[in-house]
Amino acid sequence: MTNHPFDELSEQVGDKGASVPIATKNGTLPSAVAHAVDNAFNRRIQLRRFIKFLTSGSRGWGDYYADQGDVFIRIGNLPRESLQLGGEVQRVDLPSHVREGQRTRLCEKDLLFSITAYIGSVAVVESGWIDAYVSQHVALCRLDLAQMDPRFVGYFMLGTEGQDQLLQGAVGGTKVQLALDDIRGLRIPVPPLVEQQRVAAYLDRELAKIDTLIAAQERFVGFLDERRDAVIRDAVPVPGQSKWKADKLGRRSIISNGATPRREEEKYWRNGDFPWLNSSVVNLRAVISTDQFVTREAMLECHLPIAEPDDILVALTGQGKTRGMATILKIKATINQHLACIHVDRTRWDPEYLLWSMKSVYRDLRRSSDANGATKGGLTVDALKRHVLVMPPLAEQRRIADYLNRETAKIDNLLAKTQRHIELARDRRIALITAAVSGQIDIPKEV
């Protein structure tokens, strides 16, 4: 009889740990020890010397998923930039005879690492997550709290040096993952505990300020996105509410999708010179280049369509924002099966106006493709052909397109500046963490 994955043995570390200089009660160090403190920030000691218990979760938890029960922490609950657990909560209900779960039950101040997929995520268990369990994608590290502050260690791992170590440890296999020995071998600074606590408290406070700023900027991005959508919807006429006639898109255009030549067929890709596009291009305002090319042989044998400059491309699939998004092509290219190409009758349609029209019905396309009964939402070429759009006179189409090009450019400039502010704040965040945990900042004693 085979063992259930929950019967896997736990792994423990019994090292006693290393001694470090002890600070006085008021948080200040004697002058004779000051130099030693500086050295402690500069010196690196393997984390194994401070680990009391180290393990990873077992497989097979899906058998115990439930609406009620204990909290089960998956890799998605580990943050990317902070130490606080969050995200959607999954619960499990373990039968009384299943004992393996106890091995991975969390205690306050446990340190968690992501060990597959999103390598680099770290979290410290707070009171609200006590007694939760962890999945096989998460490592549980219980430190000697008399020597190490888990928040200090966690912040160090979020800094540049810590991230470099985690990513280097994950390199080299067919599957990107960290082994428990990689965690044991992490090299960290070991200043006195009181200094670790001071650094962690300082970062808690200062990072909260930066995070508040980032959150405000992200809300502003959301506002600008909504404003942009509203400008487009207000400018593009709606069928049944316009003095101009509406028509099915497929009546005066040719709509088709492409294919992906087999990657293992070298003759389709090697030394290719004809641009080939996938659905990621819909994130661009206009497609002016590509980094993938197919051969003429692929064009012929795979019956790939040729899309012309000023054709409109629409993503047919994608569970994120991609499906239903549109862009305009500015080069001659071919496309894969997840893109539709709309080649319009230019005596009836202005390409720029049609682009804005497709952007204005993005939500409608999403809803209609979600309602097609499939388990995965997807647009079809036939659905696009049946879609009805207002077709004003060409002069009016160009006027609307010019107006939207001008007005959205203003919003896009604000969006770009705001995104840059967010990037700078995140860079500042990493720099602050890195400087604090390496002793490069003179942290106030009252922190």
Side-chain angles (χ1 to χ4, degrees):
M1 181 177 176
T2 59
N3 291 334
H4 190 278
F6 273 80
D7 294 330
E8 295 173 1
L9 295 176
S10 63
E11 298 192 41
Q12 301 186 41
V13 176
D15 299 83
K16 294 182 178 179
S19 60
V20 295
I22 304 299
T24 56
K25 289 183 179 180
N26 64 5
T28 61
L29 290 170
S31 57
V33 186
H35 182 66
V37 173
D38 288 339
N39 286 340
F41 271 108
N42 294 325
R43 183 180 48 173
R44 299 291 179 264
I45 298 176
Q46 286 193 340
L47 189 61
R48 70 175 72 247
R49 298 180 63 181
F50 308 100
I51 296 176
K52 298 181 70 174
F53 178 76
L54 178 66
T55 190
S56 59
S58 300
R59 297 175 177 84
W61 284 94
D63 296 341
Y64 307 110
Y65 281 7
D67 293 331
Q68 303 291 327
D70 295 308
V71 173
F72 178 60
I73 292 177
R74 298 170 292 177
I75 198 167
N77 296 118
L78 271 67
R80 298 295 291 164
E81 297 180 337
S82 74
L83 298 178
Q84 294 182 326
L85 290 164
E88 182 181 352
V89 172
Q90 175 62 57
R91 294 188 179 274
V92 291
D93 185 11
L94 293 186
S96 58
H97 68 275
V98 176
R99 305 292 298 275
E100 169 63 16
Q102 297 302 319
R103 175 175 63 84
T104 62
R105 200 143 203 175
L106 299 184
C107 298
E108 190 171 6
K109 297 186 179 181
D110 281 349
L111 187 62
L112 306 181
F113 295 85
S114 60
I115 55 175
T116 66
Y118 300 113
I119 301 297
S121 292
V122 187
V124 175
V125 177
E126 297 175 333
S127 58
W129 298 85
I130 294 174
D131 289 337
Y133 301 111
V134 296
S135 78
Q136 73 268 28
H137 304 294
V138 177
L140 185 167
C141 179
R142 192 162 294 150
L143 299 174
D144 180 356
L145 300 181
Q147 298 190 79
M148 297 304 301
D149 184 323
R151 291 181 306 154
F152 176 83
V153 178
Y155 278 132
F156 177 78
M157 300 320 303
L158 289 180
T160 302
E161 186 179 342
Q163 288 291 294
D164 286 346
Q165 289 190 57
L166 291 172
L167 294 176
Q168 288 168 7
V171 171
T174 56
K175 186 177 180 183
V176 176
Q177 61 184 23
L178 282 172
L180 296 183
D181 269 345
D182 294 320
I183 294 174
R184 294 186 183 100
L186 294 170
R187 304 187 69 84
I188 60 170
V190 188
L193 182 61
V194 69
E195 293 299 316
Q196 297 177 40
Q197 293 167 340
R198 181 176 288 123
V199 168
Y202 172 79
L203 287 173
D204 286 343
R205 185 188 69 189
E206 296 303 313
L207 295 181
K209 297 176 184 177
I210 297 176
D211 290 343
T212 298
L213 172 63
I214 291 174
Q217 295 289 326
E218 288 176 336
R219 287 194 298 271
F220 187 54
V221 167
F223 166 77
L224 290 174
D225 283 336
E226 291 176 2
R227 175 60 182 160
R228 194 178 193 278
D229 289 343
V231 168
I232 296 170
R233 289 195 305 271
D234 289 346
V236 176
V238 178
Q241 302 176 23
S242 171
K243 61 182 178 181
W244 297 298
K245 68 177 182 179
D247 203 355
K248 291 180 179 178
L249 183 57
R251 196 183 302 278
R252 302 185 187 279
S253 65
I254 299 172
I255 307 177
S256 60
N257 64 324
T260 301
R262 293 191 303 276
R263 293 284 181 178
E264 61 270 19
E265 286 286 354
E266 192 173 285
K267 65 179 181 178
Y268 291 159
W269 297 94
R270 186 175 177 81
N271 298 322
D273 61 358
F274 199 88
W276 179 87
L277 308 172
N278 60 31
S279 58
S280 66
V281 299
V282 297
N283 293 291
L284 304 172
R285 169 62 180 84
V287 182
I288 60 174
S289 65
T290 183
D291 58 359
Q292 298 190 71
F293 300 86
V294 294
T295 62
R296 301 291 166 162
E297 199 166 2
M299 296 292 294
L300 290 172
E301 294 185 10
C302 301
H303 307 289
L304 297 178
I306 296 178
E308 301 286 346
D310 283 340
D311 284 352
I312 306 302
L313 304 179
V314 180
L316 298 174
T317 62
Q319 292 305 299
K321 294 182 178 179
T322 302
R323 175 170 40 97
M325 291 179 65
T327 188
I328 190 166
L329 186 62
K330 293 300 182 181
I331 58 174
K332 184 177 287 191
T334 190
I335 58 176
N336 76 358
Q337 67 274 23
H338 303 296
L339 277 174
C341 172
I342 305 173
H343 182 75
V344 298
D345 177 353
R346 295 184 192 175
T347 66
R348 303 286 184 156
W349 291 107
D350 176 77
E352 286 282 343
Y353 169 80
L354 181 58
L355 173 64
W356 290 117
S357 292
M358 296 308 298
K359 289 180 179 293
S360 74
V361 297
Y362 169 76
R363 295 180 184 178
D364 296 334
L365 294 175
R366 297 280 297 188
R367 280 194 294 269
S368 64
S369 58
D370 280 337
N372 66 4
T375 55
K376 262 180 145 182
L379 281 170
T380 64
V381 168
D382 285 341
L384 287 176
K385 289 178 178 178
R386 293 192 300 269
H387 206 81
V388 176
L389 298 173
V390 175
M391 190 169 59
L394 279 175
E396 183 63 21
Q397 291 184 37
R398 294 186 184 110
R399 187 196 67 78
I400 293 172
D402 289 344
Y403 167 79
L404 286 173
N405 287 335
R406 185 173 60 253
E407 294 304 310
T408 58
K410 298 174 185 177
I411 298 173
D412 289 344
N413 286 336
L414 279 175
L415 277 168
K417 290 179 181 178
T418 307
Q419 292 287 8
R420 181 59 180 155
H421 287 318
I422 292 173
E423 291 172 8
L424 290 172
R426 286 179 171 149
D427 289 345
R428 162 67 177 159
R429 199 179 191 282
I430 295 173
L432 182 64
I433 292 172
T434 301
V437 297
S438 57
Q440 298 174 34
I441 295 177
D442 184 14
I443 297 173
K445 298 299 182 184
E446 65 272 11
V447 174

